[in-house]
């Protein structure tokens, strides 16, 4: 399933994968532009569909102690959070072999 477009009026937040740029450089070719500029080999981000934004949330629900037994508290703010393992990049290098690319490749 691909990214869902953010409906007008819905809370939005910066895409974690492309850092809000709307594109990613996943090619083995050299990125010959600035970090915020799209080069010939850059492609639209698959995390946000090229928009640079993903749906945010303006509501968080916290349950009381005991795994949900108790009062429910609803607060505003929040949204999706960056994955702790891949830092929102969508991939991890778990191999024992050396990583021979840049930290974002």
């Amino acid at each position: 399933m691909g990214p869902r477009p953010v409906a007008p009026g819905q809370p939005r937040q910066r895409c974690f994968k492309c850092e809000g740029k709307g594109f990613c450089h996943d090619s083995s070719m050299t990125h010959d532009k600035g970090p915020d500029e799209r080069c010939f080999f850059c492609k639209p981000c698959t995390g946000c569909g090229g928009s640079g934004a993903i749906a945010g949330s303006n509501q968080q629900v916290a349950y009381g102690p005991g795994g949900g037994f108790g009062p429910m508290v609803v607060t505003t703010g929040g949204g999706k959070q960056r994955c702790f393992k891949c830092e929102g990049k969508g991939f991890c290098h778990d191999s024992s072999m050396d990583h021979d690319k840049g930290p974002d490749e």
Side-chain angles (χ1 to χ4, degrees):
M1 181 186 329
R4 295 186 328 200
V6 181
Q10 260 192 322
R12 299 163 53 101
Q13 66 184 31
R14 183 173 78 149
C15 175
F16 300 123
K17 184 175 181 184
C18 68
E19 299 177 336
K21 294 181 272 190
F23 62 87
C24 295
H25 187 89
D26 297 329
S27 171
S28 61
M29 301 299 288
T30 303
H31 183 77
D32 60 358
K33 301 278 185 180
D36 294 328
E37 295 180 85
R38 188 176 178 147
C39 79
F40 179 80
F41 299 104
C42 289
K43 301 286 182 210
C45 177
T46 58
C48 63
S51 71
I54 58 173
S57 173
N58 62 357
Q59 191 175 71
Q60 291 180 327
V61 178
Y63 294 96
F69 301 105
M72 182 175 75
V73 179
V74 178
T75 61
T76 58
K80 293 183 180 181
Q81 294 185 3
R82 180 186 302 260
C83 174
F84 296 112
K85 184 171 182 179
C86 72
E87 298 176 338
K89 297 173 191 159
F91 64 89
C92 297
H93 185 86
D94 293 332
S95 171
S96 62
M97 302 295 289
D98 287 339
H99 184 76
D100 61 355
K101 300 283 184 185
D104 293 330
E105 299 180 80

